Amino acid sequence: MRLRRTLPEHHLSSETKETVKLAMGFVATMAALILGLLVASAKDSYDTQSSGVTQLAAKAVYLDRLLANFGPEANDVRQLYRGVVERITHQMWPEQYAGESQLDPSAMRTEELLVAIQALAPKTDLQKTLQAQAVSTSLEIGQMRWLQYEQAGTTLSKPMLGILVFWIAVLFGSFGLFAPSNGTALTALLLAALSVAGAIFLILELQSPFTGLLQIPDTPFLDAIAHLGQ
């Protein structure tokens, strides 16, 4: 709007205005397409991570039940296993548990859990089956945990985001160039800019599912920990 005051009158003619509208319509189409694709992609990634958290929590409870059915010989492993699940919870939601007391550094890790399960001495065919299933489930938990870690580290391409922001800035610059200088027009443009900024903020938040305002809740893991050892 300030730039418009410095431009010669022929730069603001109706023919110029129509040309700018035509060019900006093309830019607006590209920006809307990319913005919609990024929102959809971020939402799909978020939903995949959320589903993975639920599956991982269910696997954690299932492994504990396998060890419980193995017999009293697995009680020590079950007690240590609770520390494994708590460690995973703290690692997945670092911001949420940052102010709480730190876990015991000597607590069992996921890799050590597999060794402890294999060290069990089955005496019956049922115990052999349960041990084999427990080993398999432990491996799946380890794989899923690393998959969650790698997916959580995936971020939006900064050059793509920069190009998108540039397109949108050009659009709003063209809007302001021909908009009347009154409160209504200024408010409308401001609300539109905030809406687009909100969409970009949503994309960035969905790309970080375990931190920020839209983080995946840790309820499945808290429920799983509550059932461990029972």
Side-chain angles (χ1 to χ4, degrees), residues 51-66:
S51 177
V53 167
T54 303
Q55 294 180 22
L56 189 56
K59 291 274 187 185
V61 177
Y62 178 62
L63 178 56
D64 181 71
R65 299 317 306 162
L66 289 173

Side-chain angles (χ1 to χ4, degrees), residues 22 38 70 79 112 128 207 225:
L22 182 63
L38 289 178
F70 186 90
Q79 292 178 0
E112 298 170 341
K128 291 180 180 179
Q207 289 286 339
I225 293 174

Side-chain angles (χ1 to χ4, degrees), residues 56 59-60 63 81 88 110 113 136-146:
L56 189 56
K59 291 274 187 185
L63 178 56
Y81 173 55
I88 292 176
T110 308
L113 173 65
S136 176
T137 304
S138 177
L139 290 173
E140 291 178 1
I141 290 176
Q143 293 172 352
M144 294 177 66
R145 172 67 190 103
W146 279 109

Side-chain angles (χ1 to χ4, degrees), residues 48-49 52 141-153:
T48 300
Q49 290 276 56
I141 290 176
Q143 293 172 352
M144 294 177 66
R145 172 67 190 103
W146 279 109
L147 179 61
Q148 291 285 108
Y149 176 79
E150 293 296 335
Q151 289 178 340

